[in-house]
């Protein structure tokens, strides 16, 4: 399994480094790669008939419990087949749709990286690897959504999607860390037996908040939904892939995977029902009033994701079976409609449904495929959507509490989705064409074949539902419910309430479709609420934060080093001084202090004289020399108190510092004496305050007994663990090697910065 993921990422970077060495038509061959992966997972699907799951374990960081564990069960198999199967069609479709695009190698690299990230996410059985691949999906989707980076709308959409999903990733990580801290394990397989431990813990509610935050942002649940319609600025193949079968269902996958672990039958379930219910109504309502094909599909996708979350919240056998079925149903018909929208846009260069009619005469194959997808969206018999819709109604009707109200919500949502499905899949192909046939670009086989395949699967699974049921959906249900079920998909449920509701849904969906142009007027009233919509509120907060950041930066980061030092010193003085005065009983006199020796007093006087010269001199070189004298005197004081190795280290540092100061200051303009008495007084007060604080800390360190545990540890283990006899060197290089490394990196970066400034100045002087 890990070999498959490594191969995907290697192929992605090989595509990137290929540059423009391939002609656009050769990129069609790349569809073979996801097809091979699809067949690979299809082979393992046959093994699920004998075993419930396949678990693979690879050690990574075993000391922390972080390993590359992968689990292939019904749920991960369902998503893996969607990712690779629809991915194959997207590769095939994009090879013609984007044949004139620049940087086609980058696009396919991003697409392949995204596919590998999604596979890693759904296959991982370790919390940290799940998070790692989760973040990779956010990063790669950012590049895909913003692929047309010359357009401002694409850049803005990519940034919005990345910001929202990035926030969710942070919350998800916090939830995972809390779970691991409570259970002592990062393994999802082991967490299955820790359900009671988590639910009885005082941090359970906080865990739910974090997990919900991650899942809801990724799967565009209200109020985080607005990034998904905005992401329609992406190329159509990206929209079809990310927003029908993969990225937006990553959050759904997390909720489904953790349902058997975190579901308590009350907080978990009710939250999912409420959020999912609001999202599905909100998205469906907006989808019926939009006129852009991709906007219609985007809002209907938001609604569909809400339906799945709603069903996971209900949590009964019918609901969970309906959820896994609808995941597949939605992926098939929504990918078909997205690809159809791309074909239409490619042919007539518009997606406005008020301007699209009569295209069925010129692309009948695409029209038939779109009709089938629209019928599946409405739940018409003999389509896969009909079976899924029946399961949804069975779930709500059989719910022990509020069954009637939940059914009303479900029916209302499906009526609206049926109407929007007809608008997207039927409206553009009926009537007389507005444009002349000569202006139409008929789709090639690379564009219409993926649409036909997806629509045929919608029909095949609708007429023969056992093909999807026995092969994968039953196992996906078992993975979520952790129990077997006697439920199965069937074409005919008899004459019952569910059938009546289905007929009602289709009829009123057709009504919304036929009279849609008369119903758009209410949208104008809805648009009045735009200032208080989640998107507007989020953007307003973003603008406020930008203004705050600008003002803060102008105040605190104004480019003057002296101001930075003042802020740092004042903060340390205030914080440490307050803590020292309020919590430490100050003791300034002690009998343990030894008296001054003559040489100590001599060097102390030299330090005072050097400080005086540093402050009063008008020469930079004199100031640097005085500072060097202070440093060397401190080195000698270290020698007096028995630390010659530390003195030698300090001596080398002081020497290097003096040399660097001389080299840098030599390039600066002439010295300007500063005579502002107010600023001099301010600096004197700050200096005295900070010096007094250091004096008090030093005196208290001499008064209070020192703990020798750390010193003894280093002394006892320096040679045993690090094979070094010089304890100080061992501490710097081994025990605290990362500190030393980071300090070296900081110094190197600072040196490069100084060199760059000097070099830039030199270039300007030569230009002058």
């Amino acid at each position: 399994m890990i070999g498959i993921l490594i191969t995907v990422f290697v192929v992605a970077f090989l595509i990137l480094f290929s540059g423009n060495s391939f002609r656009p038509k050769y990129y069609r061959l790349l569809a073979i790669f996801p097809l091979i992966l699809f067949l690979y997972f299809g082979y393992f699907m046959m093994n699920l008939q004998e075993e419930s799951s396949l678990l693979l374990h690879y050690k990574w960081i075993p000391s922390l419990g972080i390993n590359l564990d992968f689990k292939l069960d019904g749920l991960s198999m369902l998503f893996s087949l969607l990712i690779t199967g629809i991915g194959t069609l997207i590769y095939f479709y994009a090879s013609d749709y984007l044949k004139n695009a620049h940087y086609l190698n980058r696009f396919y690299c991003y697409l392949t990286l995204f596919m590998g990230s999604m596979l890693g996410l759904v296959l991982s059985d370790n919390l940290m690897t799940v998070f790692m691949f989760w973040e990779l999906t956010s990063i790669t989707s950012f590049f895909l959504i913003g692929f047309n980076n010359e357009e401002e709308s694409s850049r803005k959409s990519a940034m919005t999607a990345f910001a929202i999903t990035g926030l969710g990733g942070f919350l998800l990580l916090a939830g995972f860390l809390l779970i691991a801290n409570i259970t002592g394990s990062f393994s999802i397989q082991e967490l299955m037996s820790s359900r009671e431990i988590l639910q009885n813990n005082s941090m359970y509610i906080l865990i739910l908040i974090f997990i919900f935050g991650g899942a809801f942002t990724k799967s565009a649940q209200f109020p985080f939904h607005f990034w998904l319609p905005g992401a329609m600025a992406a190329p159509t193949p990206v929209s079809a892939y990310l927003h029908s079968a993969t990225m937006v269902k990553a959050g759904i996958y997390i909720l489904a995977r953790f349902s058997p672990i975190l579901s308590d039958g009350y907080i978990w379930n009710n939250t999912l029902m409420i959020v999912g219910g609001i999202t599905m109504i909100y998205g469906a309502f907006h989808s019926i009033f939009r006129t852009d094909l991709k906007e219609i599909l985007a809002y209907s996708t938001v609604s569909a994701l809400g339906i799945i979350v709603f069903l996971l919240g209900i949590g009964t056998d019918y609901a969970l079976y309906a959820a896994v079925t609808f995941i597949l149903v939605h992926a098939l018909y929504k990918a078909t409609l997205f690809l159809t929208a791309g074909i239409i846009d490619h042919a007539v260069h518009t997606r406005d449904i008020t301007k699209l009619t009569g295209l069925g005469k010129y692309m009948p194959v695409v029209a038939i495929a779109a009709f089938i997808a629209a019928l599946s969206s409405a739940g018409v018999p003999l389509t896969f959507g009909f079976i899924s819709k029946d399961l949804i109604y069975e779930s709500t009707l059989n719910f022990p509490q509020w069954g009637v109200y939940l059914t009303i919500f479900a029916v209302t949502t499906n009526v609206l989705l049926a109407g929007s499905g007809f608008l997207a899949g039927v409206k553009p192909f009926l009537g007389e064409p507005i444009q002349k046939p000569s202006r139409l670009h008929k789709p090639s086989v690379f564009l219409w074949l993926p649409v036909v395949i997806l629509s045929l699967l919608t029909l095949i699974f609708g007429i023969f539902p056992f093909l999807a049921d026995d092969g994968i959906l039953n196992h996906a249900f078992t993975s979520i419910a952790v129990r077997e079920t006697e439920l199965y998909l069937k074409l005919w449920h008899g004459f019952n309430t569910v059938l009546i509701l289905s007929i009602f849904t289709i009829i009123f969906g057709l009504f919304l479709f036929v009279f849609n142009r008369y119903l758009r007027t209410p949208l104008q009233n809805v648009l009045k609420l735009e200032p208080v919509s989640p998107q507007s509120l989020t953007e307003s907060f973003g603008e406020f934060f930008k203004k705050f950041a600008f003002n803060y930066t102008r105040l605190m980061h104004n480019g003057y080093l002296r101001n930075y030092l003042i802020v740092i010193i004042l903060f340390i003085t205030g914080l440490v001084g307050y803590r020292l005065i309020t919590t430490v009983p100050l003791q300034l006199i002690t009998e343990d202090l030894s008296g001054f020796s003559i040489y100590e007093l001599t060097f102390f006087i030299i330090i005072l004289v050097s400080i005086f010269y540093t402050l009063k001199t008008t020469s930079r070189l004199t100031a640097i020399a005085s500072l060097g004298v202070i440093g060397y005197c401190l080195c000698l004081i270290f020698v007096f108190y028995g630390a010659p190795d530390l003195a030698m280290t300090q001596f080398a540092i002081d020497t290097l510092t003096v040399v660097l100061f001389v080299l840098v200051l030599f390039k600066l303009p002439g010295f300007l004496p500063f005579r502002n008495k107010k600023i001099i007084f301010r600096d004197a007060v700050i200096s005295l305050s900070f010096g007094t604080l250091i004096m008090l800390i030093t005196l208290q360190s001499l008064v209070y007994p020192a703990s020798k545990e750390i010193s003894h540890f280093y002394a006892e283990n320096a040679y045993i663990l690090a094979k070094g006899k010089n304890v100080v060197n061992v501490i710097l290089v081994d025990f605290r090697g990362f500190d030393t490394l980071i300090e070296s990196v900081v110094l190197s970066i600072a040196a490069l910065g100084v060199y760059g400034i000097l070099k830039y100045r030199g270039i300007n002087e030569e230009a002058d």
Side-chain angles (χ1 to χ4, degrees):
M1 200 71 66
I2 191 173
I4 291 294
L5 294 176
I6 292 175
T7 302
V8 173
F9 287 106
V10 169
V11 168
F13 285 107
L14 288 177
I15 295 171
L16 177 64
F17 294 134
S18 67
N20 297 320
S21 57
F22 292 116
R23 293 183 179 179
K25 64 180 181 179
Y26 293 141
Y27 282 99
R28 297 165 184 167
L29 299 176
L30 290 177
I32 298 174
F33 180 60
L35 178 61
I36 293 173
L37 296 179
F38 177 79
L39 297 175
Y40 172 82
F41 288 109
Y43 167 78
F44 278 104
M45 184 176 66
M46 296 184 293
N47 295 335
L48 289 180
Q49 306 294 337
E50 302 175 359
E51 301 180 12
S52 60
S53 63
L54 174 66
L55 186 64
L56 302 175
H57 176 79
Y58 303 94
K59 290 185 178 181
W60 187 18
I61 314 176
S63 59
L64 298 178
I66 302 175
N67 296 303
L68 296 174
D69 297 336
F70 299 99
K71 181 180 180 181
L72 189 60
D73 61 358
L75 184 62
S76 57
M77 177 65 73
L78 171 62
F79 278 90
S80 297
L81 291 175
L82 286 176
I83 293 165
T84 55
I86 294 182
T88 301
L89 301 178
I90 296 299
Y91 274 71
F92 194 70
Y93 180 95
S95 65
D96 190 87
Y97 189 87
L98 297 173
K99 62 183 179 182
N100 296 322
H102 296 292
Y103 308 115
L104 200 56
N105 61 316
R106 295 185 186 178
F107 174 81
Y108 276 100
C109 171
Y110 302 153
L111 195 64
T112 306
L113 287 174
F114 177 80
M115 181 178 68
S117 303
M118 279 299 305
L119 286 174
L121 171 63
V122 301
L123 294 172
S124 294
D125 191 62
N126 189 280
L127 296 179
M128 287 297 99
T129 52
V130 167
F131 171 73
M132 179 180 69
F133 287 113
W134 176 280
E135 289 300 285
L136 283 175
T137 60
S138 297
I139 295 170
T140 50
S141 65
F142 167 78
F143 289 118
L144 286 170
I145 295 172
F147 179 70
N148 297 323
N149 52 49
E150 295 180 356
E151 300 176 8
E152 183 180 356
S153 59
S154 294
R155 298 194 300 270
K156 181 180 178 180
S157 298
M159 287 298 297
T160 301
F162 186 69
I164 297 297
T165 57
L167 171 64
F170 174 77
L171 296 175
L172 190 72
L173 175 62
F176 284 172
L177 292 177
L178 281 178
I179 291 173
N181 184 59
I182 293 170
T183 61
S185 175
F186 286 100
S187 172
I188 299 177
Q189 181 74 11
E190 295 177 5
L191 293 178
M192 300 294 286
S193 60
S194 303
R195 177 174 179 175
E196 294 184 1
I197 297 175
L198 288 170
Q199 294 181 9
N200 294 330
N201 193 276
S202 59
M203 305 295 288
Y204 174 68
I205 301 298
L206 191 58
I207 291 173
L208 293 189
I209 293 173
F210 289 150
I211 298 297
F212 286 151
F216 291 164
T217 52
K218 200 80 155 187
S219 289
Q221 298 300 293
F222 185 90
F224 308 107
H225 63 281
F226 56 86
W227 70 262
L228 197 154
M232 292 301 107
T236 295
V238 175
S239 301
Y241 194 39
L242 272 64
H243 305 139
S244 65
T246 53
M247 179 184 173
V248 292
K249 288 193 171 75
I252 300 295
Y253 170 81
I254 291 295
L255 294 174
R257 179 62 76 193
F258 282 87
S259 282
I261 300 172
L262 296 175
S263 176
D264 60 345
Y266 183 72
I267 300 176
W268 172 276
N269 296 79
N270 288 338
T271 303
L272 294 183
M273 288 172 61
I274 293 171
V275 174
I278 293 173
T279 303
M280 68 186 196
I281 286 288
Y282 183 92
F285 177 80
H286 276 270
S287 69
I288 200 67
F289 293 112
R290 302 291 166 170
T291 57
D292 184 280
L293 276 176
K294 290 181 74 172
E295 277 196 353
I296 293 172
L297 297 175
Y299 278 104
S300 63
T301 298
V302 171
S303 179
L305 296 170
I307 291 174
I308 301 173
V309 173
F310 176 74
L311 293 170
L312 291 174
I314 293 177
T316 61
D317 282 7
Y318 269 115
L320 295 180
Y321 221 99
V324 296
T325 304
F326 190 63
I327 288 173
L328 179 57
V329 170
H330 175 259
L332 293 177
Y333 80 71
K334 189 55 62 70
T336 303
L337 293 176
F338 264 122
L339 296 180
T340 301
I343 293 173
I344 293 172
D345 191 18
H346 192 265
V348 298
H349 306 294
T350 182
R351 299 195 302 262
D352 190 342
I353 60 172
T354 62
K355 301 177 181 179
L356 294 172
T357 56
L359 296 179
K361 295 181 180 180
Y362 306 106
M363 47 182 79
V365 175
V366 176
I368 294 172
F371 287 170
I372 294 172
L375 294 177
S376 182
S377 173
V380 174
L382 299 183
T383 65
F384 205 17
F386 170 72
I387 298 172
S388 172
K389 180 162 52 60
D390 277 8
L391 281 174
I392 294 173
Y393 292 159
E394 289 279 4
S395 305
T396 55
L397 286 171
N398 293 322
F399 192 71
Q401 298 174 338
W402 318 307
V404 175
Y405 303 105
L406 297 184
T407 303
I408 293 174
F409 264 81
V411 171
T412 304
T413 300
N414 280 317
V415 167
L416 294 169
L417 288 180
S420 64
F422 289 139
L423 288 174
V426 177
K427 170 70 169 60
F429 302 99
L430 298 181
E432 293 297 324
I434 295 178
Q435 297 188 13
K436 296 181 180 180
S438 58
R439 297 182 59 188
L440 293 175
H441 300 284
K442 291 187 177 181
S444 68
V445 65
F446 300 100
L447 295 180
W448 62 255
L449 184 59
V451 175
V452 170
I453 292 174
L454 291 168
S455 60
L456 283 177
L457 288 175
T458 298
L459 274 182
I460 292 171
F461 289 152
I463 300 172
F464 307 104
F466 65 88
L467 294 176
D469 190 19
D470 296 339
I472 188 61
L473 295 181
N474 190 278
H475 298 289
F477 167 85
T478 303
S479 299
I480 301 174
V482 199
R483 59 179 179 271
E484 299 290 338
T485 181
E486 296 182 357
L487 294 176
Y488 60 93
L489 301 182
K490 52 185 177 181
L491 181 61
W492 178 250
H493 294 262
F495 291 98
N496 52 23
T497 306
V498 171
L499 180 62
I500 295 173
L501 292 175
S502 295
I503 295 173
F504 178 88
T505 301
I506 296 170
I507 292 174
F508 275 84
L510 285 171
F511 174 82
L512 290 178
F513 167 63
V514 174
F515 297 98
N516 177 260
R517 58 180 177 175
Y518 304 108
L519 300 174
R520 291 201 188 103
T521 304
L523 182 61
Q524 303 302 321
N525 297 324
V526 176
L527 292 178
K528 295 179 181 178
L529 301 175
E530 186 66 22
V532 294
S533 67
Q535 181 175 0
S536 297
L537 293 176
T538 303
E539 290 178 351
S540 298
F541 174 77
E543 289 299 320
F544 167 78
F545 192 79
K546 285 172 63 177
K547 291 180 181 178
F548 171 79
F550 174 77
N551 292 327
Y552 174 84
T553 303
R554 186 172 60 179
L555 176 65
M556 305 297 290
H557 300 273
N558 49 24
Y560 292 101
L561 180 60
R562 59 178 177 269
N563 291 341
Y564 299 160
L565 293 175
I566 289 172
V567 171
I568 294 171
I569 292 173
L570 284 176
F571 179 79
I572 294 175
T573 304
L575 182 64
V576 179
Y578 172 79
R579 183 69 176 173
L580 186 66
I581 295 172
T582 56
T583 60
V584 178
L586 297 178
Q587 185 176 350
L588 303 180
I589 301 175
T590 177
E591 298 177 355
D592 298 332
L593 295 179
S594 60
F596 270 113
S597 63
I598 184 63
Y599 42 85
E600 291 170 347
L601 180 60
T602 301
F603 285 106
F604 178 69
I605 294 173
I606 294 174
I607 290 174
L608 292 179
V609 173
S610 300
I611 293 174
F612 177 79
Y613 269 100
T614 303
L615 296 175
K616 298 299 292 182
T617 184
T618 59
S619 169
R620 288 199 181 95
L621 290 178
T622 303
I624 294 171
S626 299
L627 289 173
V629 170
I630 295 171
Y632 292 150
C633 289
L634 291 175
C635 293
L636 291 174
I637 290 176
F638 290 148
V639 173
F640 298 154
Y641 285 93
D645 49 355
L646 182 58
M648 291 301 297
T649 304
Q650 187 68 31
F651 177 81
I653 292 173
D654 280 329
T655 303
L656 179 61
T657 303
V658 169
V659 172
L660 289 175
F661 266 125
V662 171
L663 292 176
V664 173
L665 297 181
F666 181 76
K667 293 286 186 177
L668 294 180
F671 187 84
L672 296 176
F674 197 76
R675 301 299 183 188
N676 191 315
K677 294 183 179 180
K678 292 182 179 179
I679 294 180
I680 292 174
F681 178 76
R682 178 201 65 185
D683 294 344
V685 172
I686 294 174
S687 301
L688 287 172
S689 301
F690 186 68
T692 302
L693 174 66
I694 299 301
M695 178 192 71
L696 292 175
I697 293 174
T698 305
L699 289 175
Q700 300 316 301
S701 66
L702 294 174
V703 170
Y704 285 91
S707 175
K708 300 292 184 179
E709 294 181 4
I710 298 177
S711 301
H712 292 160
F713 171 81
Y714 286 138
E716 294 170 359
N717 293 281
Y719 186 77
I720 297 174
L721 298 179
K723 309 303 179 185
K725 296 181 179 180
N726 189 311
V727 179
V728 175
N729 290 347
V730 169
I731 293 173
L732 293 175
V733 177
D734 292 283
F735 289 113
R736 299 183 61 183
F738 280 112
D739 290 352
T740 305
L741 175 63
I742 294 172
E743 290 172 1
S744 302
V745 170
V746 170
L747 287 174
S748 301
I749 293 173
L752 290 173
V754 171
Y755 174 77
I757 293 173
L758 297 176
K759 190 74 173 177
Y760 180 75
R761 181 178 178 81
I763 293 173
N764 286 343
E765 289 176 351
E766 291 176 4
D768 293 340

